[in-house]
Amino acid sequence: MARIDFGEWLPDQPGLTGVVKEALNVVPQAVGYGPLRTPVDYSLAASEDINNVVAGRNPATGATEVFAGGATKLFKLDSGDLSLDNVSKAGNYTTPTEQKWRFTQFGDVLIAANGDEILQYWTLGTSSAWADLAAAAPTARYLTVVRDFVVSGYTSSTDSQKVQWSGINDETAWTTTSTNQSDYQIIPDGGSVQGLTGGEFGLVLMERSIYRMSYVGTPAIFQFDNISRNLGCFEPNSIVQYQGITYFLGDDGFYACNGTQVIGIGAEKIDRFFFGDLDESYSYKMSATVDPIKNLVVWAYPSSGSNGQVDSLMIFNFETKKWSHADVTVSFVAQSATPAYTLEALDVFGTVDTISTSFDSRIWTGGKSQFVGGNGAKIVTFSGSSLTGTLQTGDLEAQGQVSTINMTRPLVDGGSGQVAVATRNRLADSITFGSYTAADSEGRAAFKSTGRYHRLSVQPSGSWTTAIGIDFDLVPAGRR
């Protein structure tokens, strides 16, 4: 038998190059691919659909508080009964259709922006309702923390190129004085601000450029250096940051920026596939997050033909540089954390026999970063059973001759699998897979399929952990 490993999924490349042509409902690993779990309901339903989730951790006590934002309200998760309770300021809010709530934490204060309201704040451990951060605080779409400053961007429809920051170590000081270092910068080149990321330095992602924001002290306070001209951010909701790297979608594909360089991570790999699949008229429904457990950056988006419903994920392993994708219907993806639960408190999830979340999930540890999402009015966690994954090889041939595949053996660690084959005589012919055949007790799936080009499709099964590859017998036609 010959063997082919499940290497990189490269849908932008032809099958004859030996690439993996499908990696659906799986996650990329150093060796092969692992299972992606189904989203399961975590919270009860809020009074309206939610568009983002965040967790704040009190630096003094270590206690975690979880919040969600909707079109008109901000909600807090009640860990006692998993309800999402309205904790908005009096009168609630108005969030523009193409916007969502964005959050950042500054000390023990969570700050929220939705593009229509004055920045909102919640003091962890003491607040009972969100409130205006300060009378002079801006109405911004985007916000982050850079060093000792809260930074906001796109502060109004007439200030789409404006970046404004608070006083040093004071999130409530937004009026410029000679001592507090609060100020603003209008960036005239590059279109509107599309998003901000922070840390030791800030990144300002514009429509057609990217600026690095570096603290230099008085009198300038911050210096803005253009590090990318003509290349900017296509969709604000594609931006996510992890370990000092900012990931985003540009006009022609996915990129990563470390503050100095902008590097393409999808070029000649998945970029053409993605733009062919994305419904660009609903691109504002995209969302992005990180799964820190599995080293993944995940983008959710509406595919073409979905009528604007978010139904697909693009998944990038930032350690291995490998991609996969998934068909999963969620409203958005996000990074959050969950409170800790005692054994007595588990009854909020049901009985031990009916809990759908795996007991090895981080959901039970509390305070740890968690890959979550939303489904309508509920928070969901990706902690259910494994989705049905599909991995497909490129074209296999016997030196250009007509050949027969008559035996396969899927290599699935911790489980088994079923195999289907697609055979054609010309590269111009359509690719149609036959029925799946389950591996027998010896791990083999037998076929008799004759043609010039063959592709194998494997669906792992059981309690599998890694789909490694597949062994196969391929012999010239007429031989045994």
Side-chain angles (χ1 to χ4, degrees):
M1 277 191 171
R3 175 172 296 179
I4 184 168
D5 294 330
F6 292 136
E8 276 199 83
W9 175 55
L10 300 176
D12 290 356
Q13 297 302 312
L16 273 176
T17 58
V19 302
V20 171
K21 290 300 293 180
E22 180 61 285
L24 177 67
N25 294 340
V26 294
V27 297
Q29 301 177 164
V31 174
Y33 294 80
L36 175 65
R37 294 188 178 275
T38 57
V40 295
D41 290 347
Y42 174 66
S43 74
L44 300 179
S47 58
E48 63 184 13
D49 286 353
I50 56 176
N51 57 46
N52 207 356
V53 174
V54 70
R57 187 176 177 85
N58 190 320
T61 66
T64 299
E65 299 176 57
V66 178
F67 300 88
T72 67
K73 301 180 182 72
L74 286 167
F75 303 94
K76 183 182 180 185
L77 177 72
D78 185 330
S79 61
D81 61 8
L82 298 182
S83 63
L84 288 171
D85 303 328
N86 182 11
V87 288
S88 306
K89 74 173 183 180
N92 298 327
Y93 308 102
T94 300
T95 301
T97 300
E98 297 188 7
Q99 298 301 312
K100 67 175 184 177
W101 285 99
R102 291 175 170 85
F103 303 92
T104 195
Q105 184 169 341
F106 190 75
D108 62 354
V109 176
L110 271 181
I111 304 172
N114 73 345
D116 192 71
E117 306 283 345
I118 290 176
L119 295 181
Q120 298 293 291
Y121 86 97
W122 178 284
T123 302
L124 296 165
T126 62
S127 288
S128 58
W130 288 81
D132 292 350
L133 179 61
T139 299
R141 290 187 178 182
Y142 315 113
L143 76 167
T144 190
V145 172
V146 180
R147 290 179 60 110
D148 302 315
F149 302 84
V150 178
V151 180
S152 65
Y154 203 123
T155 56
S156 72
S157 60
T158 57
D159 285 320
S160 66
Q161 298 172 304
K162 184 177 181 180
V163 176
Q164 183 177 359
W165 55 92
S166 71
I168 187 168
N169 281 318
D170 188 350
E171 74 279 6
T172 66
W174 292 89
T175 301
T176 301
T177 70
S178 59
T179 58
N180 69 5
Q181 299 191 35
S182 175
D183 208 342
Y184 68 89
Q185 176 73 42
I186 304 294
I187 304 177
D189 179 32
S192 299
V193 175
Q194 297 284 81
L196 305 168
T197 58
E200 185 65 18
F201 59 86
L203 285 183
V204 183
L205 292 92
M206 315 285 286
E207 291 176 299
R208 296 180 301 278
S209 63
I210 299 174
Y211 284 81
R212 178 184 170 118
M213 180 180 179
S214 303
Y215 179 72
V216 294
T218 56
I221 315 301
F222 283 99
Q223 175 178 307
F224 290 79
D225 297 305
N226 188 300
I227 60 173
S228 173
R229 192 173 182 83
N230 299 322
L231 171 63
C233 178
F234 174 79
E235 171 50 53
N237 292 325
S238 71
I239 300 170
V240 65
Q241 183 187 39
Y242 188 67
Q243 293 183 341
I245 307 297
T246 296
Y247 301 89
F248 66 96
L249 179 66
D251 286 330
D252 59 348
F254 289 96
Y255 289 87
C257 180
N258 61 6
T260 303
Q261 296 178 301
V262 181
I263 300 170
I265 58 175
E268 296 303 313
K269 293 186 176 185
I270 53 83
D271 284 343
R272 290 194 294 274
F273 167 86
F274 172 75
F275 276 109
D277 196 42
L278 172 68
D279 187 341
E280 291 192 24
S281 60
Y282 292 98
S283 63
Y284 66 89
K285 291 189 175 183
M286 284 187 71
S287 56
T289 193
V290 170
D291 182 346
I293 303 173
K294 297 182 178 178
N295 299 327
L296 304 176
V297 184
V298 181
W299 288 270
Y301 67 96
S303 67
S304 57
S306 70
N307 295 318
Q309 184 177 24
V310 178
D311 62 349
S312 300
L313 305 179
M314 291 297 296
I315 303 168
F316 176 66
N317 187 311
F318 52 79
E319 295 292 348
T320 66
K321 315 304 181 189
K322 290 167 60 177
W323 290 85
S324 66
H325 70 131
D327 292 337
V328 176
T329 299
V330 291
S331 306
F332 63 88
V333 292
Q335 186 177 0
S336 184
T338 55
Y341 292 95
T342 64
L343 186 61
E344 291 76 15
L346 292 182
D347 58 359
V348 300
F349 295 92
T351 67
V352 172
D353 294 330
T354 61
I355 291 174
S356 57
T357 298
S358 170
F359 281 102
D360 61 3
S361 170
R362 272 198 183 183
I363 193 174
W364 311 116
T365 59
K368 303 297 184 182
S369 294
Q370 179 95 356
F371 171 36
V372 304
N375 187 5
K378 297 180 179 180
I379 300 173
V380 299
T381 60
F382 290 82
S383 55
S385 60
S386 297
L387 289 164
T388 300
T390 301
L391 291 153
Q392 294 175 5
T393 68
D395 293 298
L396 309 174
E397 60 171 340
Q399 298 179 339
Q401 302 179 55
V402 175
S403 58
T404 299
I405 280 192
N406 54 29
M407 185 65 68
T408 64
R409 183 169 57 213
L411 305 175
V412 180
D413 195 21
S416 185
Q418 57 181 1
V419 184
V421 63
T423 297
R424 54 187 176 152
N425 290 311
R426 303 178 306 159
L427 292 176
D429 294 340
S430 61
I431 299 169
T432 303
F433 284 91
S435 300
Y436 280 93
T437 298
D440 61 21
S441 59
E442 295 183 350
R444 298 180 177 182
F447 293 94
K448 190 172 181 62
S449 184
T450 301
R452 195 176 300 275
Y453 305 103
H454 313 270
R455 292 189 184 185
L456 299 173
S457 181
V458 177
Q459 291 186 336
S461 59
S463 301
W464 69 284
T465 57
T466 305
I468 302 166
I470 186 169
D471 290 341
F472 59 95
D473 272 339
L474 182 65
V475 297
R479 296 185 185 180
R480 295 191 177 184

